[in-house]
Amino acid sequence: MLKTFPKGGIHPPENKLTADTPIKKMPVPRVVYVPISQHIGIPAEIVVEVKQKVEIGQVIARSGGYVSSNIHAPVAGTVTKLDMIVDTTGYKKQCIVIRTDDKNESNYQEPEFPLIPEIAMAPEEILQRIADFGIVGLGGATFPAHVKLHVKADKHLDCLIVNGVECEPYLTADHRLMLEKTDEILVGIRILMRALHIERAIIGIENNKRDAIERFRERNPKGSGIQIAALQVKYPQGGEKQLIRALLGREVPMNGLPLDVGVVVHNVGTVFAIYQAVQHNRPLMERVVTVTGKKLEKPSNFWVKIGTPITDLLAEAGGVPEGTRKIVSGGPMMGKALKSTDVPVTKGTSGILVIPDDEASRGEPRSCIRCGECVDVCPMGLEPHLLMNLTEKSLFEKAAREDILTCIECGSCSYVCPSHRPLLDYIRFGKSITKQLQTKSA
Amino acid sequence: MSDQPIIVSASPHVHSDRTSKKLMYDVVIALIPAFLVSLYVFGLQALLVTGVAVLSCLLIEYLIQRYILKSAVTIGDGSALITGLLLAFNLPAGLPVWMIVVGSLVAIGIAKLSFGGLGYNIFNPALVGRVFLLVSFPVQMTLWPTAVENNTTLVDAVTGATTLGLIKEGVQFGQTITELSPQIPSVTSMFLGITTGSIGEMSALALLLGGLYLLYRKVISWHIPVALLGTMALMTGIFWYVDPEHYANPLIHLLSGGAVLGAFFMATDLVTSPVTKKGMVIFAIGIGVITVVIRLFGSYPEGISFAILIMNAFVPLINSYFKPRRFGSKIKVKMV
Ligand code: SF4
Ligand code: SF4
């Protein structure tokens, strides 16, 4: 039996339309829109001015604090504007607009990157590099990577987990990356093992990506300390806590962090970005984005410059099909519906999904029939029907006692509810109020 | 893009294709085999009772929602249909039509809508209707027509006691099970349903077929039926083992008196049973114990309806006591 996490989880249709589509380079856009807050934490501070010329990879916004991240120019060009624009979260954020320099060769002649397997840097240098080069979690959480890698002296760390689960339906960015950059990722893992002074790493991959599992097993040098683990297919296995439970049988304590059980988790995309930063001096300026949807003409995986408008991506994939009613940034389970496609790709954009009319609307909510399905599928052992009920009645203290804050917002409860109850909508709201109340009283 | 505005709702953006309506209609499908058996055994009488119960449940729900509550009418969701079917299944063939209507009124009007409608009721509506009738009209409610020879006429002449009623009465009058045995139907005929009893409780085989369908469709899980029937078998088994002359064997208990109907269709009612598996098991064990106690020591030979209603009342308590274990709580941090 393949491993998985024991409690809860669902099996939505996988719809990995682009699993066999190699990653293609998106043409360099004429204009990029680079928000200064693409990560969790403090926004970066802009260090360029309007009309200033910037080189590719130059820092254009500097980390605003410890939990923050540098932001680099994804193209060489001229800053034309410092503007407020709506990003994928739906909020207006400050943003640096750069017009691409058509004549600058560095935009069009990307250097070749032959594999460099030897690691020259010392552990501290590696950590510094990761912080300087703007690496954040690329799985979607966008947590600054250097913060996660900082292990306090009182914690005992013994294992790095590399998240290659990609449990969201439709998305294949990580899958393709694992197939096409297998060796680079393996070197990236060794870089992290060195930086963290550990001997053990596990790559967790769901069994619907057999080819990636086999490719890794072939390429993984003997005695590397890296283990390739095939996992049962089950959503939300890509959640850190679920993945650690599945691979190591360790359960992160409530309100705790992976470090409490001796683990650090990084996504494969992040590991590749770290490889690029450490071995090739490349700051984080581009990422893989899956552009997909059942009605889309050319569902694709693209290498995309940060700041590229999503409109451009959709045009490259054949244009928004007739009858599209919803456009989602991310996967169908946890992604954000967009109001418009005039928003840029950021470090956290793993996919763009277009949903046709017949799948876009939710069913009419009906009364809870107390079937317990939501309770069965909740991977955190919560009672979603109860949490929604308490939130509806504004009983936030009670909701806090029922552990509403531990909800990971995976959406499994809303997915299964046969009465189409908007469980997660209410729970999200309940969480935010509960948090506010707690900070007030603290 | 189409001219319709795009939808900006929060995640998740996909939904499983299960709906509560589909669940309800699965229950209806699962009841078909038992209904066919009742037609075979009781003929038109079964059709009459079932038809009246279903129609009156639907009509009463419609009228109350439309004219008294002035709320949305929900008779299309399948739940009133199920209440009607299950009520009929718990009634003897040949019950006067007006009594069936009264039962439906109690089931839908009192047990369901006065609590706030589907999802808010604490007690299984069909059982409330049935028990109300049993208490109000004990004579008519225990007049069991036996399987009719000519099942096209609405005869009500031939009546007999149910198997459990027969044993209970016999033992009370000092007879032993061995002396009663010529009157006890064979296990095979009980299993197939060629005995007496309420319309739908007759054939364990047909009910099991329906129950398996519900399990297969994941409308119910195994916990309630298995724990309920298991508890009954164990308890009646102990009594039978100790004193086989005064206590019927477990097989008779499981195959008669609505045990299978109760275990698969009544106790598993989603709304009135606990939400967690742990809770379901406790709930089902409770029903099993109470049923056996009523059967062996109480004044009713069947007892499962009462047992389910009693345990229904405990469901909120069970739900708040048997919670799922929260991820990351009560763990010993173990290092591998
Ligand atoms: S899944 Fe929906 S209907 Fe079932 S218990 Fe949860 S909220 Fe109620
Ligand atoms: S309550 Fe939260 S963690 Fe549990 S299933 Fe719903 S969204 Fe996921």
Side-chain angles (χ1 to χ4, degrees):
Chain A
M1 264 296 257
L2 294 173
K3 291 180 176 176
T4 188
F5 57 100
K7 168 71 177 75
I10 56 171
H11 298 97
E14 294 172 20
N15 287 319
K16 304 267 192 187
L17 312 174
T18 47
D20 299 321
T21 319
I23 312 172
K24 228 176 71 189
K25 255 193 185 319
M26 258 296 280
V28 178
R30 301 183 57 87
V31 182
V32 290
Y33 303 81
V34 188
I36 58 165
S37 176
Q38 304 183 30
H39 46 266
I40 288 183
I42 310 160
E45 287 157 11
I46 299 176
V47 293
V48 290
E49 287 163 5
V50 175
K51 294 203 183 122
Q52 184 178 333
K53 278 205 176 305
V54 292
E55 283 308 310
I56 194 163
Q58 178 183 337
V59 175
I60 52 176
R62 203 165 283 291
S63 169
Y66 181 55
V67 184
S68 183
S69 184
N70 283 342
I71 289 169
H72 302 77
V75 294
T78 313
V79 178
T80 56
K81 237 198 219 166
L82 303 175
D83 204 1
M84 297 293 282
I85 63 150
V86 176
D87 76 351
T88 48
T89 61
Y91 293 105
K92 278 204 162 172
K93 298 248 175 85
Q94 195 152 49
C95 166
I96 302 166
V97 185
I98 304 171
R99 198 185 55 237
T100 308
D101 184 346
D102 297 335
K103 299 197 185 76
N104 192 321
E105 287 187 358
S106 68
N107 279 336
Y108 302 98
Q109 289 177 354
E110 298 263 327
E112 286 284 306
F113 294 116
L115 181 76
I116 308 178
E118 300 79 24
I119 305 161
M121 274 193 200
E124 306 74 52
E125 286 177 281
I126 294 172
L127 294 177
Q128 194 56 46
R129 174 61 62 91
I130 290 170
D132 291 345
F133 276 33
I135 315 286
V136 302
L138 296 185
T142 63
F143 197 76
H146 63 276
V147 183
K148 254 177 147 181
L149 291 168
H150 177 80
V151 183
K152 289 204 193 77
D154 60 332
K155 301 282 184 204
H156 172 79
L157 174 71
D158 71 347
C159 187
L160 165 72
I161 287 181
V162 177
N163 190 342
V165 171
E166 203 165 51
C167 57
E168 274 272 9
Y170 287 98
L171 301 189
T172 58
D174 288 349
H175 182 187
R176 289 311 307 178
L177 191 73
M178 289 192 284
L179 284 173
E180 297 176 30
K181 301 289 178 194
T182 320
D183 293 324
E184 287 81 354
I185 292 169
L186 286 166
V187 176
I189 295 172
R190 282 178 28 237
I191 292 173
L192 280 173
M193 289 163 76
R194 168 185 277 230
L196 294 166
H197 305 281
I198 52 172
E199 309 292 315
R200 183 178 182 202
I202 310 174
I203 313 178
I205 306 174
E206 284 192 341
N207 209 35
N208 53 0
K209 297 178 265 292
R210 278 311 311 175
D211 47 357
I213 296 168
E214 257 133 48
R215 184 79 52 96
F216 268 120
R217 288 197 172 142
E218 258 164 48
R219 308 298 304 173
N220 184 22
K222 271 216 168 62
S224 65
I226 304 170
Q227 180 195 337
I228 321 298
L231 293 161
Q232 256 177 65
V233 179
K234 186 160 84 171
Y235 179 88
Q237 194 140 241
E240 275 191 350
K241 294 182 172 179
Q242 278 64 41
L243 184 58
I244 297 169
R245 179 65 184 76
L247 288 173
L248 292 170
R250 301 178 193 172
E251 202 165 301
V252 177
M254 212 181 226
N255 309 318
L257 292 172
L259 262 180
D260 297 328
V261 290
V263 182
V264 166
V265 184
H266 276 289
N267 170 271
V268 280
T270 318
V271 174
F272 178 71
I274 289 170
Y275 164 85
Q276 291 278 79
V278 172
Q279 305 294 77
H280 296 289
N281 269 318
R282 291 276 290 184
L284 180 51
M285 301 181 294
E286 56 192 349
R287 65 157 300 145
V288 187
V289 180
T290 303
V291 183
T292 182
K294 285 182 196 157
K295 300 265 167 71
L296 204 60
E297 193 190 317
K298 287 182 287 181
S300 319
N301 300 296
F302 291 121
W303 275 113
V304 185
K305 295 276 184 191
I306 303 298
T308 304
I310 285 168
T311 317
D312 292 10
L313 286 189
L314 287 166
E316 196 67 21
V320 177
E322 195 56 35
T324 296
R325 286 299 297 285
K326 207 182 215 182
I327 298 172
V328 174
S329 162
M333 290 302 299
M334 293 184 78
K336 279 243 173 202
L338 299 175
K339 286 196 192 76
S340 119
T341 57
D342 290 331
V343 295
V345 167
T346 60
K347 293 177 181 177
T349 312
S350 48
I352 302 295
L353 169 64
V354 292
I355 301 178
D357 201 14
D358 50 333
E359 289 176 33
S361 319
R362 296 182 175 186
E364 189 68 30
R366 293 172 180 272
S367 341
C368 169
I369 52 169
R370 280 179 267 163
C371 63
E373 297 257 333
C374 53
V375 180
D376 279 348
V377 300
C378 177
M380 298 307 287
L382 302 173
E383 295 152 281
H385 69 107
L386 176 68
L387 296 176
M388 170 167 174
N389 200 307
L390 294 173
T391 304
E392 251 177 330
K393 295 187 188 142
S394 297
L395 297 171
F396 299 111
E397 257 172 50
K398 256 194 158 162
R401 259 179 281 135
E402 299 292 348
D403 305 304
I404 192 169
L405 289 180
T406 66
C407 164
I408 57 170
E409 304 189 16
C410 68
S412 301
C413 49
S414 299
Y415 176 83
V416 292
C417 176
S419 291
H420 297 279
R421 313 264 304 154
L423 294 158
L424 180 51
D425 294 19
Y426 276 86
I427 293 171
R428 255 194 220 109
F429 178 69
K431 275 177 79 174
S432 71
I433 303 279
T434 310
K435 257 188 229 154
Q436 279 172 28
L437 292 177
Q438 287 188 351
T439 37
K440 237 185 243 163
S441 64
Chain B
M1 215 177 286
S2 64
D3 23 323
Q4 283 164 301
I6 59 167
I7 299 171
V8 188
S9 55
S11 64
H13 307 287
V14 281
H15 193 278
S16 83
D17 53 11
R18 275 159 71 90
T19 63
S20 39
K21 210 168 164 174
K22 283 190 197 165
L23 296 182
M24 299 289 174
Y25 283 103
D26 268 339
V27 176
V28 175
I29 293 172
L31 288 170
I32 290 177
F35 180 62
L36 293 180
V37 172
S38 76
L39 280 185
Y40 175 76
V41 176
F42 298 116
L44 287 181
Q45 283 189 331
L47 189 62
L48 182 71
V49 173
T50 314
V52 170
V54 167
L55 284 180
S56 49
C57 279
L58 288 172
L59 195 67
I60 288 163
E61 177 152 310
Y62 174 80
L63 293 175
I64 292 181
Q65 287 181 327
R66 180 81 201 270
Y67 294 104
I68 300 180
L69 299 175
K70 302 200 171 23
S71 63
V73 173
T74 57
I75 56 169
D77 67 12
S79 80
L81 172 58
I82 292 177
T83 302
L85 283 172
L86 288 177
L87 175 65
F89 275 32
N90 279 286
L91 300 177
L95 194 72
V97 167
W98 68 270
M99 284 188 194
I100 305 173
V101 176
V102 169
S104 307
L105 189 65
V106 172
I108 295 288
I110 295 178
K112 183 178 172 190
L113 295 181
S114 75
F115 279 89
L118 178 65
Y120 297 95
N121 51 305
I122 294 174
F123 299 102
N124 185 320
L127 283 182
V128 174
R130 189 232 169 177
V131 165
F132 177 84
L133 292 177
L134 187 61
V135 174
S136 316
F137 315 107
V139 179
Q140 292 85 338
M141 280 293 286
T142 48
L143 215 56
W144 311 106
T146 49
V148 281
E149 299 294 320
N150 176 2
N151 59 13
T152 50
T153 49
L154 292 172
V155 278
D156 59 1
V158 230
T159 55
T162 61
T163 310
L164 287 175
L166 202 129
I167 294 173
K168 185 155 196 112
E169 213 161 284
V171 170
Q172 267 167 4
F173 284 104
Q175 285 173 291
T176 63
I177 302 264
T178 325
E179 286 161 7
L180 290 167
S181 61
Q183 299 172 57
I184 299 174
S186 74
V187 166
T188 328
S189 65
M190 282 201 287
F191 187 66
L192 294 176
I194 321 296
T195 60
T196 52
S198 304
I199 288 179
E201 73 180 19
M202 309 277 296
S203 166
L205 175 67
L207 290 165
L208 279 175
L209 268 180
L212 287 178
Y213 176 76
L214 290 184
L215 284 171
Y216 167 72
R217 300 280 295 171
K218 297 206 169 80
V219 176
I220 62 172
S221 68
W222 57 267
H223 302 77
I224 290 178
V226 170
L228 203 171
L229 297 175
T231 305
M232 284 181 63
L234 189 73
M235 272 185 81
T236 54
I238 293 173
F239 281 100
W240 171 70
Y241 183 77
V242 173
D243 186 357
E245 281 306 323
H246 291 99
Y247 295 102
N249 75 48
L251 218 48
I252 294 181
H253 277 285
L254 293 187
L255 292 178
S256 58
V260 178
L261 178 65
F264 281 94
F265 291 93
M266 315 297 294
T268 53
D269 172 42
L270 297 173
V271 176
T272 56
S273 63
V275 289
T276 64
K277 305 286 181 261
K278 268 185 279 182
M280 286 180 188
V281 171
I282 303 296
F283 171 77
I285 291 177
I287 296 173
V289 170
I290 298 171
T291 306
V292 174
V293 169
I294 294 177
R295 283 187 180 188
L296 300 186
F297 311 107
S299 52
Y300 286 97
E302 277 89 20
I304 194 164
S305 313
F306 290 100
I308 294 174
L309 288 177
I310 291 170
M311 288 310 289
N312 280 166
F314 284 102
V315 166
L317 202 68
I318 293 176
N319 279 342
S320 60
Y321 204 78
F322 294 92
K323 288 178 169 297
R325 184 182 67 84
R326 309 286 193 232
F327 189 100
S329 69
K330 296 181 219 146
I331 38 160
K332 288 171 231 95
V333 177
K334 80 173 174 186
M335 291 289 186
V336 184

